[in-house]
Structure formats: structure tokens, C-alpha cells
Amino acid sequence: MTTLKTETREELKSYVERIERIVEEINALKDDQRVLFAEAKSKGHDTKSMRRIIKRRQKDPNELAEHEAIDDTYMHALGMTSENPLHVQVAKLVKDGVARDQVIEALQLLIPVNGEIIASVGGRPMRLWRTEDGRSFAEDYVPPLFEDFMKKRRQQ
């Protein structure tokens, strides 16, 4: 019975010592990071901006684009920007001459969770929406009046 306790004690001690070594390594790396930022600052670089860029580079590009689109929408709603972000994005896409599918993909990034938009893309109306889990979808849009008209026509 004491052997088991000794083995358990040694195992626990091993874990604690390994974690302590990792903490020391992390602290050493943080010191190295501080030295690098100090060096960059001494050369005239803006370290706050560098930190923001590093955080952005660590994010998923699609997630970042979605967050930026939402931020732009809120800033427009608060009067902080004069141009509607949707118009700006579509104008950029048209100017760059991207394909219809790329325009649809870009518009899907602007849709909030559980939201939808109807947009004319390439002359045809599209319904674009996002589900609660964040997945985006697109389909050709048929106005409800036309659907009602077609139902009545089929019944005759």
C-alpha cells in the first residue's frame, strides 16, 4: 500500500516539476518578447500598433473579415463613417471585377447570425442568410408575390 502512495507521490512530483519548468520557459520567452518590443520602440516603431497587428494575424481571416464588417456597420449606424459599409464592399468587389460567386461570398460575411439580406447580384435577386451556428447560405430569391401567383395559377 505504501508503494502505491510513493508511486503516486513521485508521479505528482514529476507533473509539478514539469509544469514549473514550462512556467520558467514561458517567463523567459515573455522577457525576450519585452526586449524585442523595447528594441522596436527604440528604432521608432509603434509597439501598440505592432501588438494589434500580431493579434490580427493570429485570427482566422474569415472571422476577422466578419468582425470588421460588423464593426463597419455599427460605426456607420453611430455616424462615425459616412458611407454605408455594404455599398463600400460591393463597390470594391465590382471595381476589382470579381465573379458573381465571390460577390456572394463577400456579402455573406456581412450578414449577422440569424440574419438575411436580399441582394441583386449579377442582375438576379439572391437571398443570403446566416444560421444561428454561423453558417452562410445563398439561393435564388423568388419574391413572395410571384410564389402566390404561381400557386394560384397551378390551382386553376
Side-chain angles (χ1 to χ4, degrees):
M1 194 82 162
T2 52
T3 310
L4 183 60
K5 287 183 179 179
T6 304
E7 288 176 8
T8 303
R9 197 175 315 137
E10 290 300 317
E11 182 181 33
L12 179 59
K13 182 180 177 186
S14 171
Y15 283 126
V16 168
E17 289 173 349
R18 288 167 50 198
I19 291 170
E20 287 173 340
R21 279 195 300 273
I22 290 172
V23 168
E24 288 174 11
E25 290 174 19
I26 290 171
N27 288 335
L29 289 172
K30 286 181 180 178
D31 288 341
D32 292 346
Q33 183 182 29
R34 276 191 283 279
V35 168
L36 280 174
F37 276 116
E39 182 181 333
K41 188 172 185 171
S42 72
K43 301 277 184 173
H45 297 287
D46 184 340
T47 56
K48 287 181 182 179
S49 181
M50 290 173 59
R51 289 179 194 276
R52 286 191 305 268
I53 290 168
I54 290 167
K55 283 183 182 178
R56 288 176 64 117
R57 289 171 51 113
Q58 292 171 343
K59 290 184 180 179
D60 174 73
N62 291 329
E63 183 180 327
L64 182 62
E66 181 179 345
H67 290 170
E68 287 178 346
I70 292 169
D71 290 351
D72 289 345
T73 302
Y74 284 9
M75 288 172 51
H76 176 71
L78 295 169
M80 297 172 70
T81 59
S82 59
E83 293 185 324
N84 185 322
L86 179 59
H87 296 143
V88 171
Q89 291 297 326
V90 171
K92 285 181 187 176
L93 294 170
V94 171
K95 182 180 174 187
D96 294 342
V98 296
R100 180 175 189 268
D101 292 340
Q102 291 171 305
V103 172
I104 291 170
E105 285 177 26
L107 288 173
Q108 285 175 322
L109 295 174
L110 299 172
I111 303 168
V113 172
N114 283 335
E116 72 175 76
I117 61 172
I118 308 296
S120 180
V121 182
R124 295 192 324 237
M126 297 289 300
R127 175 179 175 248
L128 308 164
W129 75 97
R130 186 180 299 267
T131 60
E132 189 172 298
D133 60 1
R135 293 185 306 162
S136 298
F137 298 93
E139 67 183 4
D140 287 331
Y141 177 70
V142 179
L145 294 175
F146 183 73
E147 290 174 2
D148 292 343
F149 172 76
M150 291 304 289
K151 283 180 188 175
K152 288 178 186 176
R153 189 172 178 192
R154 283 187 214 118
Q155 291 172 353
Q156 292 176 351

